[in-house]
Amino acid sequence: MSENVKLRPEIAALAAYSQGRSPSPDGFKLSSNENPYPALPGVLEAAARHAEINRYPDGAAVALRTRLAERFGVVVDEVVVGAGSSALLQQLFLAAAAPGDEIVYAHRSFEAYPGFVTVAGATSVQVPLTAALEHDLDALAGAVTERTRVVVVCSPNNPTGPAVRAAAFEEFMTRVPADVLVILDEAYREFVTDSGAVDGEHYLGRYPNLVITRTFSKAYGLAGLRVGYAIGPARILSAARATAIPFAVTELGFAAALASLEEQHQRQLDERVTEIVRRRDRLRGLLLEQGWAVPAAQGNFLWLPTGEQTPTATEAFFAADIAVRPFGLEGIRITVGEHESIDRILAVTGALPR
Ligand SMILES: Cc1ncc(COP(=O)(O)O)c(C=O)c1O
């Protein structure tokens, strides 16, 4: 009788991460903030050359860490790679927080944070977003107590879209004690066009308690290969590496990430990002014209404040063969995907009551 097996009650009560829904093969999957473009042929070929799958990958990920270190002007020990930035967020939580400790983050923000906190055995402290659906950095800093081990700042914020202002972030860093780890989750940083937005890259080496996390899943279009990275002080990253599942990133992942950073591929990927950003801004403008109060969007997604009608609006999208991500009775997150999806989205939103 498995009922007799003792489990951690908080884990037994925890639901597994719920993935975005899928439409029909002819529909649009705009529920997981994926990149709509297929892999570049050169990147695919680089991955396919790593066919020695009877061997374990390089657990220390030396080649990719070295390349990223060069690119960000840090030393190799200040870079760690993981199975997506999700894995690195969890590893950092595990490294810093245990039962009795608190991890502070915004709500709404990335849905995986609460589960990762629970897995670490720590306690979540959720700080509401402002009325403009932005991070309330003042309140986040104010929520730090002597039990706080980690504060997470998500910029641009998933699912609402706005990025944190650089000046506000710097002020926030002066208020957080230097023994509390700050993680700046920049999964969507490459889509940011607001010059006043925070850019973790500028702060490398400046704060002894700051780690930034980024990913190849979004702008680089490698979500299926699971490669993310974190940059920060070597001592913190070394602790995070100690919590990792060995060999979680494959050689295929390393090869695709390295190839993506080669100049000609990077240029092509940047062009795709520019196109997604253009589409994002155009779609937001058209939704504003329809009367929707869509917050400033700096990632590859938009927030539609559907409130009470969120479940019916979600079904209206699904009926149009568009999968989107609903959040309670608050709103819907729509990923900026294929060009052809724009008119179909606008037909649905145009027919919904505002
Ligand atoms: C804010 C944020 N952080 C991190 C991630 C993790 O992405 P990945 O594990 O694919 O790098 C996501 C994915 O949706 C995200 O939205």
Side-chain angles (χ1 to χ4, degrees), residues 17 32-33 83-87 89 110 113 154 156 158 185 187-188 214-218 223 226-228:
Y17 182 78
S32 297
N33 290 352
S85 54
S86 311
L89 289 163
F110 183 32
Y113 300 149
C154 183
N158 173 11
D185 178 348
Y188 302 96
R214 293 196 180 181
T215 183
F216 285 93
S217 297
K218 310 293 181 180
R226 315 303 304 125
V227 192

Side-chain angles (χ1 to χ4, degrees), residues 16 43 51 83 94 103 139 144 146 151 158 168 196 211 235 240 259 281 285 304 343:
V43 170
L94 287 167
I103 298 184
V144 172
E146 71 284 352
V151 186
N158 173 11
V211 171
R235 177 175 163 270
D281 293 345
L304 196 68
D343 287 346

Side-chain angles (χ1 to χ4, degrees), residues 170-301:
E170 288 169 26
E171 161 73 18
F172 162 84
M173 287 305 289
T174 65
R175 288 189 56 196
V176 177
D179 61 357
V180 172
L181 171 62
V182 176
I183 302 174
L184 181 58
D185 178 348
E186 296 193 301
Y188 302 96
R189 172 61 222 181
E190 295 85 352
F191 300 100
V192 173
T193 47
D194 175 352
S195 58
V198 71
D199 181 351
E201 209 174 325
H202 292 157
Y203 301 122
L204 298 175
R206 176 149 148 201
Y207 299 109
N209 57 334
L210 178 66
V211 171
I212 69 170
T213 55
R214 293 196 180 181
T215 183
F216 285 93
S217 297
K218 310 293 181 180
Y220 289 86
L222 298 180
L225 281 178
R226 315 303 304 125
V227 192
Y229 57 99
I231 310 179
R235 177 175 163 270
I236 302 170
L237 297 192
S238 164
R241 281 180 68 191
T243 70
I245 294 170
F247 310 119
V249 187
T250 65
E251 287 293 339
L252 276 69
F254 292 142
L258 278 165
S260 301
L261 295 170
E262 284 169 18
E263 204 182 318
Q264 91 263 22
H265 296 143
Q266 180 73 64
R267 204 171 339 103
Q268 288 169 276
L269 291 163
D270 288 347
E271 282 164 17
R272 290 174 166 192
V273 167
T274 304
E275 177 53 32
I276 291 168
V277 164
R278 210 177 287 137
R279 240 172 250 174
R280 171 193 77 195
D281 293 345
R282 182 170 156 261
L283 178 56
R284 177 166 181 261
L286 292 167
L287 288 167
L288 290 174
E289 276 175 26
Q290 285 187 345
W292 293 99
V294 177
Q298 289 288 301
N300 64 340
F301 53 92

Side-chain angles (χ1 to χ4, degrees), residues 68-88:
L68 288 167
E70 279 166 17
R71 186 189 170 99
F72 286 93
V74 297
V75 301
V76 178
D77 286 345
E78 292 168 329
V79 182
V80 62
V81 302
S85 54
S86 311
L88 293 166

Side-chain angles (χ1 to χ4, degrees), residues 53-138:
I53 56 175
N54 54 318
R55 304 289 176 198
Y56 285 110
D58 172 17
V62 174
L64 181 56
R65 286 170 61 220
T66 303
R67 180 71 193 85
L68 288 167
E70 279 166 17
R71 186 189 170 99
F72 286 93
V74 297
V75 301
V76 178
D77 286 345
E78 292 168 329
V79 182
V80 62
V81 302
S85 54
S86 311
L88 293 166
L89 289 163
Q90 187 178 59
Q91 288 170 232
L92 288 160
F93 288 5
L94 287 167
D101 299 332
E102 293 177 350
I103 298 184
V104 177
Y105 54 88
H107 180 81
R108 294 235 169 229
S109 195
F110 183 32
E111 308 117 280
Y113 300 149
F116 292 165
V117 174
T118 303
V119 168
T123 303
S124 280
V125 176
Q126 300 186 338
V127 176
L129 298 172
T130 65
L133 302 182
E134 296 178 359
H135 270 55
D136 186 341
L137 289 180
D138 218 28

